[in-house]
Structure formats: C-alpha cells, structure tokens
C-alpha cells in the first residue's frame, strides 16, 4: 500500500511529533483563515521554520485556508498566500471557491486541495472541483466504500480521506449550529461544538443525540484503493495523540498493526471507542458516543510513554552513498537523498604503513548518520589498495554531504498584483422566490416570481405550480438516480433548479437547467457569487455584507427555519426509531428549545433551527436582487399568513430570530 500519511499540526511540537513518527505530510494553519482558529497555529516566522524543518525531512506542508472569506478580507488573504508560497508551502487546503479563484488568478504555481468543507460527495462534485482548478479533493467523511470507488472511477484528481479522528454529526461545511446559536461559525473557523452538549429525542436530559464516536478506518486501509492521502484529524489535539495516530496508520500500511496498537490509540483519545459506520454502511446507534471518565483515565496511563517516541530524531529517510578513494587524487563522496544528488571533495589519501582501509570498514564508517533523519541505504565503494584516511576526515565529508543535501532551493514566487475592489450596496427592491418541502404548502395566489419544490414531487405538481426543482444537498450514492429524474423533469418542461451542493449544481447545469445557487454553497463574497448563477448568499453574512456583494442576481433568505445541520445518520432514528418518530421528529436542547428533524427520500436528514429567520418587517434594508422564503414545517395556512405579514410589513407574533444579519459571526 502506497499512501501519503497526512498528520495534523496545531503547534510546532505536534508537527515534530508527527514528522518523527513517520508522517509524509502535515497540514497546519496560519493565524488567519483556517478552520481551527483556536489551535496554536503558526505566524509568518513560525511557518517558515516549520516548512524548513519538514522539507529537510522530505515532508510536505499544506496550509489550511479552509474557511469562507468576506470581500474585505481578500487583500489579507492575498498577502497570506504570497508569504506561504515564498517559504515553500506545498499546497493550500481551500473551502471558498472565490478564494480558490483569486489564488489561481494571482499565483499560477499554487496547488489547491479542496477541503472537506466543500461537501464533495459525488462524481459531479469532483468534476466541478477540477474545473475550478483543484488538484486534490478531501472527500466527505460520510462516504461508503462503494461511493468512494464511484468517485475514484470518475476522476483523475488526487483523493484525500479522513481515516482517524473526531467525527462531526453534520456533513462538513453544512453545519450552522454553532453560528446560529452563538455566532461562532464552523465555516469561519470558530466552531464551539454545541453538538457535544445534551440534545435529546426521547426526553432524557443526559442524552447526547448529536455526538458521534471518533472515526477510525485504520483496519480498512487495504480496502482504500485509489486514495492518495490518509488524513488524520486533530489540530486541536496534543502531540502524543498525533504521534500515536501517525504510528498506528504507518503500522497498518506496513501490515504490522496489532491489537496492542489499537488499545494505545483508543487510550490516547476516544469517545466510547471508535466507529467505521459510514465506510461500512453500518449507520445507527452504535456510531454515537461521548467522552467518558474512563476514556480520560486511560489516556493518563499512555501519554508519557508515547512522548518518548519523538524525543529524538528518527532515521526515516534513506540516503545513498558513493565513495571514491584513489591513489594520488582527493577522495569524493556523492550522496543522494530528498531527490537531490551532491558531491563533496576531501583530502588526498595517504599510503597505509600498517593497516590499510577496506571497503567494509569504510561502509561501517559511512553508515553512521546517528542523530539525523537519515539512514544509510546503498553504499558503493571505489577504493585503491593500501590507502588510509583519518576517520575524522571521513566524518567531515559525511557531515558536509548532509548539509548540502539539506540546503533548500531558492523560491521564486510568480504573482499578479492584487487590486482592491470597491463594493457598494445595491439599491434595488428585491423580487421574491420561495422553496417548499411539498407542493401542498403552495397557496393558489402568491407573490413569488419563482417557486421550487423537491425533486421527488409529482410531475403534476411541477406543471401545476410552474415550479423549479430543489435538489437534495445529500448526494451520497444517488447521482445516477438524480440524473434520470432530472432528465424526466426537463422533458416535462421544468427549467429551473435550486442547487445547494457543487455536485448537484454541476449536474443540473450540464443538463441545461437554469440554476439558482442555494445557501449550502456558502457563497460569502463577490468572487464566489460570480462563479455561481443566481446565488442565495450565505445567511452567515451580515445584511450590510450581503447587500454589498458585487454579482448579478443575488438573493438572501428573509424568512424560514433554516437547516442547522445536514446529517447522514438520523439522530431521532438512532434514539427512538422511525416508527415512534412518524416523520415528526424533534430534538430538544438543554434549554428546552426544540429543533425539527426533517426526513428525506435521499441519504440525509436536516435539523432545522428552533425558530425562523424573520426579516419581513425590515425589507427596506434588504438590497439583494431577490429575497428568498424557505418554507419547511409550515402548513398552507401558515404560508398565507407569512405572505400577508410580508405585504403589510408586520412584526412577527411568534418567536423568531434575525439570525446573523445584524450580529454577524466572530
């Protein structure tokens, strides 16, 4: 098995632990623009030192810029990328397609890796990522082995897969729980993990219905054909965790992984053990778990011993040596490692009086790379008989060769100057659009220019309501089924599609639909908005930011219980079962707020906010081109009431939220 082992590095100590334990690459964040802003992370000088340390050991460095970026932050992002390239960062892990566009336009040498926050889970998603300039994608963590293979067969992009570490309840990039509840956005790098707090479907106040066990696929590595990189989660974890997980993955690749290694790994950190449920398609209750007292106690016993694994440099890199020692000419040592070949020249050997050098004694002396990252691999000796050279002189040659091998090349960054764009608020009265969970919610008379209903609605419902189609955001394993359905709808005269995933967007657009980009695309800036047709902007923007997005036909959600999570593992089903739920599932948090859980005919369910966003009494402040109503649990009479309230500009007579349009995210 030939995999890259990709280790997390939240600090320099964790980076060293990962490298000395056998990682082939590390991923880390700067002080800005990364999804773990609470990790130690690296300032400019620390990043330079980190890259030098890694590159001298043949280890690649990927910088995480995996958050959505506002228009006013692009200049700072440009400066960050330019510095990172100047110190040798090998690739950037990106969520925001607008940021990706800026990087490719200004820094053609930059390599882009699509973050798991991009929610790529289908062949069309992979194809779109390639068109956007990515060379690698990090697959969604919820994929089965068969679904991974389907993507592998559809693209030549490098594929990266999380194989160990914490597992979010929500599909990455599709979680708004932390931002809506406390302004700490996962898409902005400050998730507060409220999902680990008590949520219940059955009334048990101690239930943690949104807390999954940690992921571990280490025992399945031989099944992951076509995966380039095995990624370990954990930039917030301690160095011992990094060392233990890298060691476990390395042993599994070498087929030396044992039960004892598994015990160590679980002891370092777990939540009631590990799960491989998504890969093996064994979803359900067994995937859920929390951090228990016994998990913490177990860690205390192993952390100290693990720390000794990376106390000193480990000889992980082979170095080949050719040593030539001939009478009357200076001896030479040629070394090859890290893709480099260097030659150093020593002194002229003397004629031995007593005991001349032999090839065997020279090999022994030239093999001593102790205290470095190298070990002697192939040693080739060319030696005339009867010669002698002091051991100290041989050692000097060896040290000089290592110094030259480790010397990093000069880096030239080719860049296009960055021009700051002016973004001013639009001054328009938005037209109205709406999406519905069923056609039965649509009144006979309504003010909506476009309405959208789910993909599985009847042809009659589409035709009678002149409706566009809402595509599911969870596309795991159903792309072919969706394509067939879309082709049928197109023949029936449906022309518009509301798409909240890059895969569905690419699929529907290639089939000729007029696309409206839904909130799940996380369009957060003008660069992103100009790559998506008719985008509904992220509801994590402030109203002022949304009004200033400079793109054609932008929209904003002004009413609706927005989904806070998209999850493949239904928490209600796992807790009380589908029969008792009867498609009326709710979760209750520790404060008594209830969050509806909406079923789907497709692989995911959505957990809605406890109250709707409501901006209908402040529509004069909304300056996007259109305003979108997101109807979910409402009856048709509820919808009629909301329409009347909009027309009259009334304040709500029910609990509501302004969302993040005023307070924004941290």
């Amino acid at each position: 098995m030939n995999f890259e082992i990709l280790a997390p590095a939240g600090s320099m100590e964790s980076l060293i632990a990962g490298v000395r334990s056998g990682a082939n690459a590390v991923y880390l964040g700067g002080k800005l623009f990364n999804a773990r802003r609470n990790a130690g992370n690296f300032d400019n000088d620390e990043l330079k030192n980190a890259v030098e340390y890694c590159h001298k050991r043949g280890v690649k460095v990927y910088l995480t810029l995996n958050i959505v970026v506002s228009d006013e932050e692009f200049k700072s992002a440009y400066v960050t990328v330019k510095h990172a390239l100047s110190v040798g960062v090998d690739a950037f892990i990106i969520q925001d397609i607008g940021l990706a566009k800026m990087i490719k336009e200004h820094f053609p040498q930059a390599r882009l890796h699509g973050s798991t926050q991009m929610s790529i889970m289908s062949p069309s998603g992979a194809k779109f990522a390639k068109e956007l300039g990515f060379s690698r994608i990090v697959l969604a963590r919820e994929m089965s082995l068969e679904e991974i293979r389907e993507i592998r067969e559809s693209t030549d992009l490098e594929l990266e897969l999380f194989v160990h570490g914490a597992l979010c309840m929500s599909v990455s990039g599709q979680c708004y729980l932390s931002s809506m509840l406390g302004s700490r956005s996962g898409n902005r790098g400050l998730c507060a993990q409220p999902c680990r707090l008590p949520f219940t479907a059955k009334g048990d106040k101690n239930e943690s219905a949104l807390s999954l066990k940690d992921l571990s696929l280490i025992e399945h590595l031989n099944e992951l054909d076509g995966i380039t990189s095995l990624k370990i989660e954990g930039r917030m974890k301690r160095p011992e965790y990094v060392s233990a997980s890298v060691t476990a993955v390395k042993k599994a690749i070498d087929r030396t992984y044992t039960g004892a290694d598994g015990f160590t790994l679980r002891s370092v950190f777990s939540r009631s053990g590990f799960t491989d449920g998504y890969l093996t398609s064994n979803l359900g209750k067994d995937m859920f778990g929390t951090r228990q007292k016994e998990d913490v106690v177990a860690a205390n016993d192993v952390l100290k011993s693990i720390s000794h694994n990376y106390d000193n440099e480990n000889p992980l890199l082979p170095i080949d040596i050719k040593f030539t020692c001939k009478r009357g000419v200076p001896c030479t040592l040629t070394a090859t490692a890290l893709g480099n070949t260097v030659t150093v020249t020593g002194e002229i050997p003397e004629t031995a009086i007593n005991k001349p050098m032999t090839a065997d004694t020279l090999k022994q002396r030239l093999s001593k790379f102790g205290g470095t990252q190298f070990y002697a691999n192939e040693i080739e000796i060319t030696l005339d008989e009867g010669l002698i050279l002091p051991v100290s002189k041989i050692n000097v040659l060896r040290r000089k060769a290592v110094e030259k091998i480790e010397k990093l090349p000069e880096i030239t960054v080719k860049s296009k100057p960055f021009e700051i764009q002016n973004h001013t608020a639009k001054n328009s009265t938005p037209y109205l659009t709406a999406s519905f969970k069923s056609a039965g919610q649509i009144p006979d008379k309504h003010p909506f220019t476009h309405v959208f209903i789910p993909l599985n609605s009847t042809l009659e419902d589409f035709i009678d309501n002149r409706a566009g189609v809402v595509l599911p955001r969870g596309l795991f394993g159903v792309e072919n089924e969706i394509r067939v359905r879309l082709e049928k709808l197109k023949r029936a005269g449906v022309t518009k599609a509301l798409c909240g995933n890059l895969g569905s967007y690419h699929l529907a657009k290639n089939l000729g639909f007029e696309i409206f980009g839904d909130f799940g695309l996380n369009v957060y800036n003008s660069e992103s908005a100009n790559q998506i047709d008719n985008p509904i902007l992220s509801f994590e923007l402030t109203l002022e930011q949304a009004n200033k997005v400079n793109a054609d036909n932008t929209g904003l959600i002004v009413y609706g219980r927005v989904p806070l999570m998209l999850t493949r593992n239904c928490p209600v089903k796992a807790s009380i079962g589908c029969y008792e739920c009867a498609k009326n599932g709710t979760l209750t948090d520790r404060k008594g707020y209830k969050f509806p859980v909406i079923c789907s005919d497709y692989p995911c369910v959505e957990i809605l906010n406890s109250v709707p966003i409501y901006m209908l009494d402040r529509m004069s402040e909304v300056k996007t081109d259109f305003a979108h109503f997101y109807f979910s649990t409402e009856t048709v009479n509820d919808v009629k009431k909301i329409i009347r309230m909009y027309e009259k500009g009334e304040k709500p007579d029910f609990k509501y939220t302004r969302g993040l349009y005023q307070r924004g995210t941290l």
Side-chain angles (χ1 to χ4, degrees):
M1 295 184 286
N2 186 23
F3 297 114
E4 173 187 87
I5 302 175
L6 178 55
S11 66
M12 192 63 187
E13 189 178 1
S14 290
L15 181 146
I16 290 170
V19 171
R20 288 183 176 177
S21 298
N24 309 110
V26 299
Y27 65 103
L28 49 80
K31 294 297 185 181
L32 300 172
F33 307 118
N34 82 87
R36 291 292 182 270
R37 283 162 62 191
N38 285 331
N41 295 318
F42 296 75
D43 64 23
N44 283 351
D45 290 339
E46 290 167 340
L47 179 62
K48 182 176 186 295
N49 293 336
V51 175
E52 287 180 356
Y53 178 88
C54 288
H55 283 185
K56 286 179 179 181
R57 289 152 183 83
V59 173
K60 293 183 177 179
V61 178
Y62 307 142
L63 184 68
T64 58
L65 300 177
N66 54 342
I67 64 168
V68 290
V69 179
S70 66
D71 280 328
E72 53 266 34
E73 293 172 326
F74 265 73
K75 175 62 176 178
S76 180
Y78 173 90
V79 173
T80 296
V81 172
K82 188 170 186 177
H83 172 76
L85 287 171
S86 74
V87 300
V89 162
D90 296 284
F92 300 92
I93 303 175
I94 305 291
Q95 172 186 4
D96 191 317
I97 63 172
L99 179 59
K101 178 174 181 286
M102 185 276 284
I103 294 173
K104 292 301 290 185
E105 287 181 349
H106 291 82
F107 304 100
Q109 73 202 77
R111 276 177 57 88
L112 303 182
H113 294 178
S115 169
T116 189
Q117 298 283 117
M118 290 179 71
S119 310
I120 295 175
M121 59 187 75
S122 68
S124 285
K127 291 171 185 174
F128 197 7
K130 185 173 182 179
E131 291 176 10
L132 291 169
F134 291 88
S135 59
R136 177 188 292 191
I137 53 175
V138 187
L139 297 175
R141 302 179 213 202
E142 296 78 12
M143 300 190 71
S144 71
L145 196 57
E146 183 178 344
E147 291 157 2
I148 292 170
R149 288 170 178 162
E150 183 184 20
I151 289 185
R152 174 70 288 162
E153 292 169 1
S154 71
T155 182
D156 59 359
L157 288 176
E158 294 179 356
L159 301 183
E160 185 173 303
L161 182 69
F162 278 96
V163 296
H164 190 78
L167 196 57
C168 295
M169 187 68 191
S170 176
V171 174
S172 294
Q174 302 302 310
C175 185
Y176 311 95
L177 185 69
S178 181
S179 62
M180 291 297 283
L181 268 58
S183 293
R184 294 169 62 88
S185 168
N187 285 320
R188 295 282 291 158
L190 282 176
C191 178
Q193 297 190 328
C195 53
R196 301 296 181 186
L197 297 172
F199 281 83
T200 180
K202 57 187 178 185
D204 180 358
K205 292 184 178 180
N206 295 318
E207 186 182 14
S208 297
L210 295 178
S211 182
L212 294 175
K213 294 177 181 177
D214 277 21
L215 170 74
S216 191
L217 306 182
I218 290 175
E219 296 185 16
H220 295 279
L221 300 189
N222 63 336
E223 302 171 66
L224 301 179
D225 295 334
I227 296 296
T228 302
S229 182
L230 305 178
K231 188 170 193 173
I232 298 164
E233 184 278 337
R235 282 194 288 139
M236 300 289 287
K237 300 280 197 336
R238 57 196 303 160
E240 293 91 342
Y241 167 90
V242 177
S243 176
S245 52
V246 169
T247 299
V249 173
K250 186 174 177 61
K251 284 188 173 184
I253 292 172
D254 296 338
R255 302 186 188 277
T256 59
Y257 182 82
T258 67
D261 299 311
F263 176 80
T264 298
L265 202 56
R266 176 171 174 168
S267 298
V268 171
F269 192 94
S270 76
R271 291 181 171 90
S272 312
F274 299 127
T275 180
D276 59 8
Y278 287 129
L279 189 80
T280 59
S281 300
N282 291 315
L283 309 185
K285 192 172 184 178
D286 287 344
M287 287 188 66
F288 290 77
T290 57
R291 186 81 167 143
Q292 301 292 323
K293 181 179 179 180
E294 52 267 31
D295 297 324
V296 178
V297 172
N300 294 334
D301 296 332
V302 300
L303 290 176
K304 188 173 182 180
S305 62
I306 292 172
S307 67
H308 295 306
N309 293 346
Y310 55 90
D311 278 344
N312 301 305
E313 195 80 61
N314 287 325
L316 297 168
L317 287 175
I319 186 167
D320 294 334
I321 298 292
K322 291 182 179 179
F323 185 79
T324 301
C325 189
K326 289 184 168 292
R327 193 179 306 278
V329 295
C331 59
T332 60
L333 188 154
T334 299
T336 300
L338 294 172
N340 299 324
T341 298
V342 301
T343 299
V344 291
T345 302
E347 297 185 1
I348 298 172
E350 298 176 2
T351 300
I353 298 173
N354 294 316
K355 192 174 181 181
M357 295 185 298
T358 66
D360 288 340
T361 58
L362 275 173
K363 284 184 179 180
Q364 185 179 12
R365 291 166 185 169
L366 291 169
S367 296
K368 294 180 178 180
F369 288 92
T372 76
Q373 67 272 36
F374 298 107
Y375 66 88
N377 186 33
E378 294 183 1
I379 298 180
E380 181 181 324
I381 303 293
T382 301
L383 175 65
D384 286 349
E385 293 183 357
L387 300 179
I388 189 72
L389 194 67
V391 173
S392 61
K393 302 299 183 183
I394 296 173
N395 293 341
V396 167
L397 278 177
R398 190 181 61 244
R399 284 196 296 269
K400 284 184 176 179
V402 168
E403 288 173 2
K404 289 188 72 173
I405 283 283
E406 287 185 331
K407 188 175 181 180
L408 299 175
E410 294 292 326
I411 297 170
T412 301
V413 178
K414 296 179 181 179
S415 63
K416 173 184 173 183
F418 184 83
E419 296 180 7
I420 296 177
Q421 304 294 321
N422 292 321
H423 300 283
T424 58
K426 295 180 178 180
N427 187 20
S428 60
T429 300
Y431 68 89
L432 306 184
T433 63
S435 58
F436 299 85
K437 286 300 178 187
S438 74
Q441 297 170 293
I442 305 176
D444 291 334
K445 294 182 179 180
H446 60 73
F448 305 118
T449 303
H450 306 300
V451 298
F452 298 89
I453 58 178
L455 181 68
N456 58 356
S457 304
T458 66
L459 289 178
E460 290 78 8
D461 285 337
F462 280 104
I463 294 168
D464 292 346
N465 292 287
R466 291 179 293 175
V469 56
V470 179
L471 270 69
R473 287 188 292 146
L475 304 177
F476 300 101
V478 294
E479 184 171 293
N480 289 332
E481 177 185 344
I482 290 173
R483 179 185 287 106
V484 170
R485 179 64 175 163
L486 284 176
E487 289 170 344
K488 188 172 184 179
L489 291 177
K490 195 159 190 302
R491 289 194 297 270
V494 178
T495 60
K496 296 177 176 61
L498 182 60
C499 304
N501 179 276
L502 291 176
S504 65
Y505 184 97
H506 186 270
L507 177 62
K509 188 163 187 176
N510 281 352
L511 289 173
F513 284 84
E514 180 185 354
I515 307 298
F516 282 70
D518 209 352
F519 67 89
L521 295 174
N522 294 319
V523 175
Y524 202 80
N525 54 63
S526 301
E527 291 284 3
S528 296
N530 278 296
Q531 294 183 86
I532 298 296
D533 295 343
N534 311 311
I536 295 175
L537 303 176
S538 168
F539 54 75
E540 293 188 301
L541 287 165
T542 64
L543 195 57
E544 181 183 7
Q545 288 173 319
N547 287 338
K548 289 183 178 180
V549 169
N550 185 18
D552 290 336
N553 208 38
T554 61
L556 195 70
I557 293 176
V558 295
Y559 172 81
R561 287 179 184 260
V562 292
L564 302 185
M565 278 192 177
L566 177 74
T567 178
R568 193 170 188 181
N569 202 347
C570 178
V572 178
K573 179 180 178 180
S575 179
I576 63 175
C578 291
Y579 179 79
E580 189 172 339
C581 169
K583 295 192 174 182
N584 291 303
T586 60
L587 292 176
T588 305
D589 72 4
R590 69 195 193 284
K591 295 182 178 180
Y593 291 105
K594 294 187 179 296
F595 300 80
V597 180
I598 304 299
C599 293
S600 168
D601 291 340
Y602 297 96
C604 293
V605 301
E606 293 179 313
I607 301 171
L608 306 184
N609 200 4
S610 58
V611 294
I613 288 176
Y614 190 92
M615 295 295 294
L616 307 184
D617 58 330
R618 298 178 62 172
M619 288 299 294
S620 63
E621 300 173 36
V622 178
K623 301 300 181 183
T624 51
D625 299 285
F626 65 96
H628 188 70
F629 291 64
Y630 183 90
F631 293 113
S632 54
T633 59
E634 295 84 358
T635 65
V636 65
N637 287 331
D638 293 332
V639 173
K640 290 178 181 178
K641 176 182 176 180
I642 294 300
I643 292 172
R644 287 196 303 271
M645 294 176 76
Y646 159 74
E647 291 172 342
K648 295 180 179 180
E650 293 180 357
K651 292 188 179 299
D653 56 1
F654 47 79
K655 291 183 177 180
Y656 69 99
T657 179
R658 302 293 188 190
L660 297 160
Y661 294 151
Q662 290 176 296
R663 55 190 166 99
T665 58
L666 297 176

